[in-house]
Each structure stands twice: as C-alpha cells, then as structure tokens.
Amino acid sequence: MTTTENTSAPAFRYSAVTFDCSDPAAMAHFWGEALGLPVAFSTDDFYLLGGKDGAAGLGFNRLADYRRPTWPDPAQEKQAHIDLGTDDLDAAEARLLALGATKPDFQPDPDRWRVLLDPAGHPFCVSTVA
C-alpha cells in the first residue's frame, strides 16, 4: 500500500473502542476493575475508562434495545471482542469470574485460552499466548 503525504488532511490517533450495552455503569465497573482503568468521563448513557493523557480508552454506550450476543450461537453475533494476556490463566479466569464475568460451556481451546462473557454478554478471551 502506498501512502501520500497530504498536509491539509487531519492527523488521527486511536482514542477508544466503545461497546454498546444496556448498563454502561455496570460495564465500566467490571472493566475498570479488571483492567485497573479509572473513569475518565461519564453521563447517564456513556462511560469512558482511561483515555487521559492521550492514552486510548474503553467506552460503554447505553443502547435502548441492546441485545446480548449469543456466542457461540450465531443468532446474535458478537461483533467484536477484547483479548487479554496473562501469565496465569487459571488465576486470571478466577479473578474475572469474581468480578462478574461468566464462563460459557463451550471453550474452543481451554488449554491455550478461555472465553468469558462480560456483564453485557460480550465475549472476551484470556490467553497466555503472546
């Protein structure tokens, strides 16, 4: 791919990924505890974690008709997911479950990674694989 320099084009930087959900406060609490990120901004319908000093953040937006993903059933696709790295898969899973994650019965490769669901049903993976 070839890029051309255009001095009139705005510069972009990655700022956040935002997930739709029914309860942004609950999602911010879960992910804030899991990742050690503070709330940078909030309203009744939106929370942003991290995102200070130019660092990328994680947002949660209230969607009135939000429907939980049904992974692994494709009836309501997951759309996106977060991957977390850890040195101790069992300890990481236990901590995330204690924070409110749930573990679906289907696990594609539980010796390499675990699939968990956040409080809004978004699947995310925890792995020791770099």
Side-chain angles (χ1 to χ4, degrees), residues 19-99:
F19 285 88
D20 291 334
C21 61
S22 60
D23 187 346
M27 290 288 287
H29 176 77
F30 172 80
W31 284 108
E33 288 292 320
L35 299 174
L37 295 173
V39 173
F41 174 81
S42 68
T43 68
D44 288 343
D45 294 320
F46 180 78
Y47 274 71
L48 177 67
L49 298 178
K52 292 184 178 181
D53 301 322
L58 190 57
F60 307 99
N61 180 66
R62 183 183 315 277
L63 187 63
D65 62 348
Y66 174 73
R67 290 177 289 162
R68 294 174 64 96
T70 55
W71 185 91
D73 178 353
Q76 181 66 34
E77 291 289 344
K78 61 183 176 176
Q79 293 109 26
H81 72 272
I82 294 175
D83 292 302
L84 303 177
T86 184
D87 293 329
D88 186 332
L89 193 54
D90 293 329
E93 177 185 313
R95 178 168 182 257
L96 292 162
L97 292 172
L99 289 173

Side-chain angles (χ1 to χ4, degrees), residues 30-31 82 84 96 101 114-118 122-126:
F30 172 80
W31 284 108
I82 294 175
L84 303 177
L96 292 162
R114 311 281 165 77
V115 179
L116 301 176
L117 307 176
D118 71 16
H122 299 114
F124 65 97
C125 296
V126 183

